[in-house]
Amino acid sequence: MPAALPVEQSTDLESLDSYARLIKALLPRAALVALFDRQGQMRWSSESTVGPDLLQLVEENLANVRAEDKGIMRELHKDEAAYLNWLRDPKGALSGVIVIVVRRAGSVEHRGFGFVHSLVRPALECLARELELHNDMGALQNALSARDQDVQLLLDVSQQRDVADGANDLRTLLQSAATHLGAAVGALIVPDKSLVLIWADPQSELDRGIVARTHRQILTLVQSRRESVIANRLAGVDGERNQARIMGTPLRHASGRVVGVLALYRSPAAPGYSARDTQLGELLARRAVALIESSYDATSGLLSRPAFEQRLRGERAQGAAPASWSLLYVDVDQLHAVNENFGMHMGDRVIAQLGELIRSKLPPRGLGSRIAGDRFAIAVPSKVEAAAEFGEVLRSGAEQLSSEQGAARLFVSLSIGVAPLEEGDLAHCLAEAESACKAAKDRGRNRVELYQEADASIVRRFTDISAAGDLRAAIAENRLRLDAQLILPISDTVTHQVHFELLLRMFGEDGQTVGPDRFLSAAHRYQLMPKIDRWVLSEAIRLLQPHASELAAGKLVFTVNISGQSLLESGFCDAYVAAIESSGLPPEGLCIELTESAAVGNIEQAELFMRRLRAMGVGVALDDFGTGLSSLAYLRSLPVTMLKIDGSFVRDVVRDPRSESMVQAIAALARSMSLVTVAEYVETEELRDRIASLGVDYGQGFAIGRPTPLTDVLADLSIYSSATPVTQLPTSDETARSRRMH
């Protein structure tokens, strides 16, 4: 008998001793059980040593296995026989061999293969299933290892911290994605944001110019298919075919619209992209969209203020010479007039057009941001003189956005201030540019001004003397008027009451309307709000008294605004309550409205005042709800009857899931507390329907009715007090047109 060889157990198989014991129990004369792979390499044995003749026997017979064979029996020595049992995978292909060596007892001949196989068949089937499971687990282990790497990549790009370069998070994500997925070139492209990022492996021969040749085709494909696409070759310029493996993953906005693409390019010698690659690419694309949405303003497509400041700090950290940079502060002239005369949706359209204008005109390395509702900040790598010329380009381009809207003309203009971006605090430089912008407004609007030391004092003098003086004169000369804006139910779950909010209008000496942002800000600054609030209540009582009987029917409610400043004035609340009590008006026909910030900022006075009003039967509304989370802590104690959801949430519900969730949550909260909800700035029918589906009770905005002089509304008051159901009432615009026709 040849010398025995030691067995090296395979480290990737667990012990199969239990199966060997089972086989020996079924076949008592079995001396050895061994497992071989399909190449004849022994993977496991029940004994520590195996003779070389057995290894040779297995190797010789593996070459002649027939598809229908279950195995064979071969004499090993005069006293031993080897039974080779073929293992097959689910498709019938040979996957290994289980060898059982049996010793002969005395002079008894060895049994045939069929007999021995029938005895040990149950054990062999169990062992085969165990080995198949082991192979599956090995594949799963490999997959899990790759998946662990994928998860680690996602964790790495999700836990990135802001660094000096504000675009570094997206660049790092792109580089990580390309490296992990074996791409030589990667690109992140978002046309609406003018965002193009490209990363190329310096060790690869793949030309980064392939992005320029193919990105339009890839973007078109993912936009049309709305899913990831894989192509080994794409037609290039002049019919040339690009030798690369390409995967394009769509970047989807929250609304589902494809706004860009994450494109990864492998060399033609690299493996093709798999389903796992596309799944990982889609997860990375979601992360990229989240980073983009947090860094860019949704309406204008420009950087948000935090992202703008971060990117600017990055430019400084990279050694940009501060003296060679300038800041532009851009203010849209009289955007409030556009909102009031044409609707908030038209104001948003102007903002979007201006964002596109700025993006299209920005010089290389220039940065544009929307820092507030109608204000923009722009940083350009040039001195103030050249920056002022750039400002003139923007100012001229904005004028081209003016258009005819029916019988009225929508005029767009910009006031622009320019200041050098010097060493030091960015906020200080921005304040200088803002002072120059205000000086541009003071000098006639629609112009570009460079910052001068005297600008700040000019602006202060104009604000302190001109605005406040005009306001005092308007009060003394009765150049104020009350308008009323209709508030209608959009839900069948509320009682059919018609509400009107009373709005204050001021006229200049020339008869032109002065925007509320101008005179109300001056009134707040110079403590004139209590005087204005008294005038509003007095005028409202005077105009409503002839209609007291119609208000008593309980179908009409007029809302009057009060500022937080008035709550703090000694004796104001007492005088206000006394004026309502002596007015002869039914208290249920009145509602007093305070802003959320005013109520929370003066919580003790506000609560006391509200309780006195509610004891009389006057309703209490909390305006701009949702802008201050601290109010939630006080809402249970405040005797509020109505919540008016801040318009910034309402306007964005169609395109921003977060705003939609906020509105729905406020509506649910109010309903649980038996409070009525009103959505402000409902400007379109689509918005009205969406708001109603979220559970809001009332709507206010241009889709419901425009502000109309209170005297005109009162002339048609019988229409509103007698018609049912309320949701079918004509808007204030329709009643005004009807009155003009007659």
Side-chain angles (χ1 to χ4, degrees):
M1 181 176 185
L5 299 177
V7 174
E8 294 184 4
Q9 295 284 0
S10 175
T11 57
D12 60 348
L13 282 176
E14 296 182 359
S15 174
L16 301 179
D17 288 342
S18 58
Y19 291 99
R21 290 195 297 271
L22 176 60
I23 290 174
K24 289 180 179 180
L26 297 172
L27 199 62
R29 290 185 289 111
L32 177 145
V33 179
L35 171 67
F36 292 77
D37 63 22
R38 60 185 177 185
Q39 282 79 34
Q41 299 295 319
M42 189 172 68
R43 300 289 302 280
W44 176 86
S45 172
S46 62
E47 303 299 322
S48 58
T49 57
V50 175
D53 48 351
L54 177 61
L55 304 178
Q56 183 178 355
L57 177 67
V58 172
E59 183 178 355
E60 291 174 352
N61 286 276
L62 275 174
N64 301 311
V65 177
R66 295 180 300 178
E68 66 274 12
D69 287 347
K70 294 181 180 180
I72 58 173
M73 187 272 285
R74 291 289 185 265
E75 292 283 347
L76 193 58
H77 305 293
K78 63 177 181 179
D79 293 330
E80 291 182 338
Y83 294 84
L84 282 64
N85 301 269
W86 311 130
L87 295 177
R88 301 184 185 277
D89 61 21
K91 295 183 179 180
L94 182 68
S95 61
V97 188
I98 296 177
V99 179
I100 304 173
V101 177
V102 178
R103 291 192 178 95
R104 185 166 56 184
S107 59
V108 179
E109 294 293 329
H110 290 293
R111 296 282 190 175
F113 175 82
F115 177 79
V116 172
H117 183 76
S118 65
L119 291 177
V120 299
R121 180 178 176 181
L124 293 178
E125 289 179 349
C126 290
L127 178 56
R129 284 196 295 270
E130 174 77 14
L131 295 174
E132 183 179 345
L133 178 61
H134 177 82
N135 290 334
D136 291 343
M137 289 297 293
L140 178 60
Q141 198 69 27
N142 293 334
L144 287 175
S145 177
R147 187 65 55 84
D148 287 343
Q149 296 175 10
D150 295 347
V151 171
Q152 187 59 49
L153 170 65
L154 294 174
L155 287 174
D156 289 343
V157 300
S158 298
Q159 295 174 353
Q160 293 166 12
R161 295 293 182 262
D162 293 340
V163 293
D165 180 3
N168 192 64
D169 43 9
L170 282 173
R171 295 182 189 278
T172 301
L173 185 147
L174 176 61
Q175 180 177 350
S176 300
T179 303
H180 183 82
L181 291 174
V185 177
L188 191 66
I189 302 171
V190 185
D192 289 352
K193 311 293 186 189
S194 299
L195 177 64
V196 178
L197 297 177
I198 300 176
W199 176 85
D201 183 356
Q203 305 300 321
S204 174
E205 297 180 356
L206 193 61
D207 179 16
R208 64 184 294 162
I210 192 173
V211 176
R213 297 193 298 270
T214 62
H215 74 275
R216 289 189 178 87
Q217 293 168 283
I218 299 174
L219 184 58
T220 300
L221 282 172
V222 298
Q223 285 177 332
S224 61
R225 298 184 183 181
R226 304 177 65 81
E227 61 182 13
S228 297
V229 296
I230 295 176
N232 289 330
R233 294 180 180 179
L234 286 178
V237 181
D238 298 329
E240 174 192 359
R241 303 190 72 83
N242 297 300
Q243 302 293 323
R245 301 183 185 276
I246 307 173
M247 182 175 74
T249 303
L251 303 177
R252 295 186 182 88
H253 185 266
S255 64
R257 181 172 62 93
V258 176
V259 297
V261 64
L262 170 63
L264 300 175
Y265 301 79
R266 286 178 179 171
S267 67
Y273 287 100
S274 65
R276 182 181 69 86
D277 295 331
T278 59
Q279 292 171 358
L280 182 59
E282 289 175 356
L283 291 173
L284 292 168
R286 292 180 191 173
R287 174 60 180 161
V289 170
L291 290 172
I292 292 169
E293 289 183 347
S294 66
S295 299
Y296 289 86
D297 173 62
T299 304
S300 66
L302 299 173
L303 291 169
S304 63
R305 180 163 184 165
F308 173 75
E309 294 178 353
Q310 183 184 357
R311 292 281 295 275
L312 207 47
R313 287 194 297 269
E315 292 290 345
R316 287 181 167 184
Q318 291 176 4
S324 64
W325 280 71
S326 300
L327 276 174
L328 290 87
Y329 191 98
V330 182
D331 195 334
V332 186
D333 294 328
Q334 296 185 311
L335 185 64
H336 68 275
V338 175
N339 291 332
E340 290 177 2
N341 296 324
F342 302 99
M344 299 293 291
H345 64 287
M346 189 60 68
D348 287 346
R349 177 181 172 186
V350 169
I351 293 296
Q353 291 174 329
L354 289 173
E356 184 178 354
L357 172 67
I358 293 172
R359 293 198 310 273
S360 65
K361 302 298 183 183
L362 268 180
R365 296 177 63 200
L367 303 172
S369 168
R370 183 186 180 196
I371 60 175
D374 57 356
R375 286 165 286 171
F376 302 85
I378 304 171
V380 292
S382 59
K383 295 185 179 296
V384 290
E385 293 78 9
E389 294 178 2
F390 170 69
E392 281 291 343
V393 171
L394 295 181
R395 188 198 62 77
S396 176
E399 286 186 331
Q400 303 304 314
L401 300 178
S402 302
S403 61
E404 301 294 336
Q405 299 292 328
R409 179 168 177 79
L410 187 155
F411 184 72
V412 181
S413 68
L414 303 177
S415 294
I416 303 175
V418 183
L421 179 57
E422 299 173 342
E423 290 283 5
D425 186 13
L426 173 62
H428 176 73
C429 299
L430 196 60
E432 291 182 345
E434 182 181 7
S435 295
C437 176
K438 290 180 178 179
K441 285 185 171 293
D442 181 25
R443 292 163 182 154
R445 297 191 178 94
N446 193 25
R447 58 190 298 136
V448 179
E449 291 287 343
L450 297 178
Y451 173 72
Q452 305 293 334
E453 289 293 336
D455 284 346
S457 61
I458 290 173
V459 171
R460 280 197 300 271
R461 185 166 63 252
F462 171 76
T463 303
D464 294 351
I465 298 175
S466 179
D470 287 349
L471 178 58
R472 290 189 180 95
I475 296 174
E477 298 168 9
N478 203 28
R479 284 190 278 108
L480 300 174
R481 185 187 76 196
L482 288 182
D483 281 6
Q485 187 170 26
L486 185 62
I487 304 174
L488 281 184
I490 56 177
S491 169
D492 295 333
T493 61
V494 294
T495 58
H496 290 162
Q497 279 186 321
V498 179
H499 289 249
F500 289 93
E501 181 180 358
L502 300 185
L503 306 172
L504 183 63
R505 297 291 181 259
M506 171 180 161
F507 300 93
E509 293 181 350
D510 57 359
Q512 296 297 314
T513 303
V514 179
D517 59 333
R518 284 278 303 279
F519 71 82
L520 286 181
S521 62
H524 280 284
R525 187 178 302 112
Y526 295 104
Q527 303 296 310
L528 296 176
M529 285 308 301
K531 190 172 185 177
I532 289 179
D533 287 342
R534 289 193 189 93
W535 184 93
V536 169
L537 179 64
S538 175
E539 183 69 2
I541 290 174
R542 184 183 71 83
L543 295 176
L544 292 175
Q545 279 176 336
H547 304 276
S549 60
E550 291 171 286
L551 268 64
K555 292 187 177 182
L556 299 171
V557 178
F558 286 84
T559 299
V560 182
N561 290 277
I562 292 182
S563 70
Q565 200 176 92
S566 297
L567 294 179
L568 294 176
E569 184 179 85
S570 177
F572 177 86
C573 294
D574 291 337
Y576 206 90
V577 170
I580 295 176
E581 288 177 334
S582 62
S583 67
L585 295 176
E588 61 272 13
L590 295 176
C591 180
I592 304 304
E593 181 175 316
L594 291 89
T595 63
E596 176 185 358
S597 58
V600 175
N602 309 283
I603 188 65
E604 293 182 1
Q605 295 90 335
E607 182 177 358
L608 180 60
F609 183 50
M610 289 180 180
R611 292 197 181 281
R612 294 180 66 182
L613 294 172
R614 291 299 299 127
M616 296 167 55
V618 178
V620 177
L622 200 59
D623 194 16
D624 298 338
F625 189 81
T627 57
L629 296 178
S630 59
S631 64
L632 293 174
Y634 300 104
L635 192 56
R636 289 177 57 188
S637 62
L638 294 175
V640 177
T641 57
M642 175 183 289
L643 295 182
K644 300 190 72 173
I645 304 172
D646 186 67
S648 62
F649 298 119
V650 176
R651 290 164 55 193
D652 292 338
V653 296
V654 175
R655 60 173 181 261
D656 186 354
R658 290 171 293 187
S659 293
E660 183 179 37
S661 298
M662 178 68 79
V663 171
Q664 191 171 28
I666 292 174
L669 172 66
R671 192 177 305 109
S672 68
M673 302 178 69
S674 300
L675 303 179
V676 174
T677 49
V678 178
E680 300 178 304
Y681 298 131
V682 180
E683 307 296 336
T684 64
E685 290 298 328
E686 178 188 12
L687 194 54
R688 173 178 173 158
D689 293 341
R690 180 67 65 85
I691 290 296
S693 69
L694 298 178
V696 178
D697 300 316
Y698 284 82
Q700 178 180 3
F702 279 19
I704 309 296
R706 295 171 180 262
T708 304
L710 178 57
T711 53
D712 292 349
V713 171
L714 295 177
D716 299 316
L717 203 59
S718 59
I719 299 176
Y720 298 102
S721 62
S722 61
T724 55
V726 170
T727 51
Q728 297 179 1
L729 278 171
T731 66
S732 55
D733 299 339
E734 293 170 338
T735 59
R737 285 195 296 269
S738 176
R739 185 167 51 254
R740 287 195 297 270
M741 291 175 61
H742 291 82

